[in-house]
Amino acid sequence: MSETKNPEVAAPYGGGAGTAAPVRRVRTHHLREMKERGERITMLTSYDMYTAATFDEAGIDMLLVGDSASNNVLGNETSLPITVDELIPLTRAVARAAKRAMVVADMPFGSYQASPEQGYLTAVRFMKEAGAHCVKLEGGAEMAPVIEKLTQGGIPVVAHIGFTPQSEHALGGYRVQGRGETSERVKRDALAVQAAGAFAVVMEMVPADVAGEITRELVIPTIGIGAGNQCDGQVLVWQDAFGLRTGRMAKFVKQYADVHAALLDGARAYADEVRSGAFPGPEHSF
Ligand code: KIV
């Protein structure tokens, strides 16, 4: 991808269409300024160089190398089994390909919950070995000491509250968090992660009105997934948003493309031509 020719990429922080200004990396203060201006922030997951380059070209602000790679790339049933060693090469590929987007490394289950020191050492690996620009971790008030340790050590943190998939067994499965009386807990978590130094917070499966209230109360941007349209930004898992994954989807997923159908058609056409001898033709032969 050209750094200067694509107006969509160059416009928001660069010199605009047709200029030779280099693409400027999305940074934490840009996101805060976007919130202040009421501009919505876009985030997608990405786990490889081609999706990273494509989403970057589309002007997506933040690329999350989610621990959802566990169930969307590695074939596990949940996000729990994936390890730091498995996520680092995926994060490195995304960081190498993304010229403008901020690359967020998701810290996997068990890699930061034991202590702030454990969290710091894990985050340092994502920053040094993978080239991530920040890390994301799940949890609210109870994670404040970890967030403080990381931010004091120079590592920007995205918090993740509401439904936190790494705790799916403790939470009793995929459930909306913050309905009724429990809305106070989600609000407390939001304020606690902001006070601890998080520069943004993902809110997953939180009622829209609660997420809206939190968004208005916080100075840091909120990124919603199943949290209604009053958040400062939105995130989706790309295989869900663009239809590579098929089958039952969460209510909050909207499908914008049908990559599964395109790949299936392509693979079938290829197989037909190989079987019939039509491929490779003379134009593909030496
Ligand atoms: O890992 C992931 O994809 C996530 C999103 C659901 C926000 O944490």
Side-chain angles (χ1 to χ4, degrees):
M1 187 190 64
S2 158
E3 287 203 1
T4 52
K5 284 188 190 146
N6 187 328
E8 294 226 34
V9 172
Y13 305 107
T19 74
V23 173
R24 281 176 63 196
R25 178 74 65 189
V26 176
R27 294 186 180 274
T28 56
H29 68 92
H30 294 132
L31 301 173
R32 179 81 77 101
E33 288 155 15
M34 286 173 79
K35 178 178 175 116
E36 284 160 11
R37 289 195 298 265
E39 265 172 56
R40 298 284 168 103
I41 297 162
T42 54
M43 186 187 211
L44 281 171
T45 64
S46 174
Y47 318 97
D48 71 286
M49 61 180 271
Y50 287 121
T51 58
T54 305
F55 301 159
D56 199 48
E57 188 178 345
I60 300 299
D61 303 307
M62 301 170 83
L63 297 180
L64 170 64
V65 189
D67 61 353
S68 52
S70 182
N71 37 320
N72 286 288
V73 176
L74 300 186
N76 297 312
E77 247 178 57
T78 71
S79 63
L80 272 66
I82 199 164
T83 63
V84 173
D85 286 339
E86 287 171 325
L87 273 167
I88 280 188
L90 309 186
T91 310
R92 197 184 294 128
V94 171
R96 282 179 181 147
K99 302 289 179 251
R100 171 184 172 270
M102 173 187 287
V103 176
V104 185
D106 214 1
M107 304 232 282
F109 178 60
S111 71
Y112 59 92
Q113 288 92 343
S115 66
E117 288 69 28
Q118 186 207 21
Y120 187 72
L121 294 174
T122 301
V124 165
R125 286 197 66 194
F126 279 109
M127 306 293 280
K128 279 172 97 102
E129 295 175 39
H133 305 129
C134 59
V135 299
K136 178 171 87 57
L137 56 83
E138 296 185 6
E142 76 285 5
M143 278 299 140
V146 181
I147 297 171
E148 274 167 17
K149 176 81 182 165
L150 269 57
T151 52
Q152 282 163 14
I155 299 171
V157 176
V158 179
H160 182 158
I161 61 170
F163 177 71
T164 45
Q166 291 175 15
S167 309
E168 75 160 85
H169 299 299
L171 295 172
Y174 272 68
R175 292 173 152 197
V176 175
Q177 305 292 309
R179 278 199 173 121
E181 287 167 13
T182 60
S183 68
E184 287 310 316
R185 186 177 46 76
V186 181
K187 287 178 199 166
R188 266 201 309 277
D189 282 341
L191 289 168
V193 298
Q194 171 174 275
F199 75 89
V201 56
V202 168
M203 289 196 280
E204 182 163 354
M205 290 177 70
V206 172
D209 56 337
V210 176
E213 237 182 273
I214 292 172
T215 298
R216 286 186 290 279
E217 193 151 338
L218 295 190
V219 295
I220 61 171
T222 61
I223 315 283
I225 175 162
N229 71 359
Q230 298 171 49
C231 296
D232 298 307
Q234 297 291 329
V235 57
L236 283 175
V237 170
W238 85 258
Q239 289 90 341
D240 297 347
F242 305 132
L244 181 57
R245 186 162 84 81
T246 57
R248 203 167 150 262
M249 293 290 157
K251 181 179 176 188
F252 57 76
V253 172
K254 180 168 176 182
Q255 197 181 315
Y256 290 88
D258 195 345
V259 172
H260 171 73
L263 282 178
L264 193 61
D265 286 354
R268 282 182 174 146
Y270 166 75
D272 286 350
E273 290 203 357
V274 170
R275 288 184 188 122
S276 71
F279 177 82
E283 69 278 29
H284 304 114
S285 305
F286 300 101

